[in-house]
């Protein structure tokens, strides 16, 4: 993917209402992609695992917590009980968010193709 294509993808993500909240901060865009990859590989991520996995403009815990909570409150993320550990809360993209991301990525692949 060339630079212009990446830029076009980011702009498309920012125009999609269900994905726009993830484009407000660089680390939340990385979070979106981490959760999408976890969903694709059927891996369960907890809140702490999400924070630890961030590498781009890594936020403080407080900033991450506020951003994370606003994504939950905005209906972008869903929190559930972990299937592996009682004390762990699993994080996943809300269905409308996941659907919008799949649609954007499919359109991007078509445009490249």
């Amino acid at each position: 993917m060339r630079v212009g294509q990446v830029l076009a993808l980011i702009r498309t993500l920012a125009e999609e209402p269900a994905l726009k909240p993830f484009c407000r901060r660089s680390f939340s865009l990385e979070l979106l992609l981490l959760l999408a990859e976890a969903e694709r590989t059927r891996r369960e991520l907890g809140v702490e695992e999400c924070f630890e996995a961030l590498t781009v403009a890594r936020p403080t815990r407080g900033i991450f917590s506020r951003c994370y909570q606003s994504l939950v409150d905005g209906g972008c993320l869903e929190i559930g009980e972990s299937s592996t550990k009682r004390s762990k809360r699993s994080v996943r993209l809300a269905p409308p968010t996941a659907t919008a991301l799949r649609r954007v990525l499919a359109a991007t692949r078509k445009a490249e193709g």
Side-chain angles (χ1 to χ4, degrees):
M1 192 177 259
R2 289 179 281 159
V3 173
Q5 292 169 313
V6 173
L7 185 56
L9 173 61
I10 292 171
R11 287 179 175 157
T12 302
L13 291 171
E15 292 169 358
E16 180 67 42
L19 303 173
K20 187 174 186 165
F22 289 96
C23 295
R24 292 187 182 129
R25 297 179 182 266
S26 59
F27 72 84
S28 60
L29 184 56
E30 184 181 11
L31 177 63
L32 171 67
L33 300 175
L34 285 168
L35 290 170
E37 180 62 12
E39 184 177 299
R40 188 185 71 75
T41 59
R42 300 190 189 289
R43 197 172 121 221
E44 186 177 82
L45 291 178
V47 178
E48 187 64 24
E49 290 168 307
C50 289
F51 176 75
E52 292 297 326
L54 295 174
T55 59
V56 177
R58 188 164 184 172
T60 63
R61 285 188 188 277
I63 290 172
F64 175 78
S65 179
R66 285 189 295 277
C67 178
Y68 165 82
Q69 192 58 50
S70 73
L71 291 169
V72 171
D73 293 344
C76 298
L77 298 178
E78 287 187 344
I79 307 305
E81 291 185 21
S82 172
S83 59
T84 59
K85 194 174 177 184
R86 280 186 170 199
S87 62
K88 179 178 169 181
R89 295 184 327 166
S90 67
V91 182
R92 66 182 148 271
L93 298 175
T97 305
T99 300
L101 182 59
R102 281 192 297 274
R103 185 174 56 247
V104 167
L105 293 176
T108 302
R109 281 191 293 270
K110 258 188 192 176
E112 287 178 356

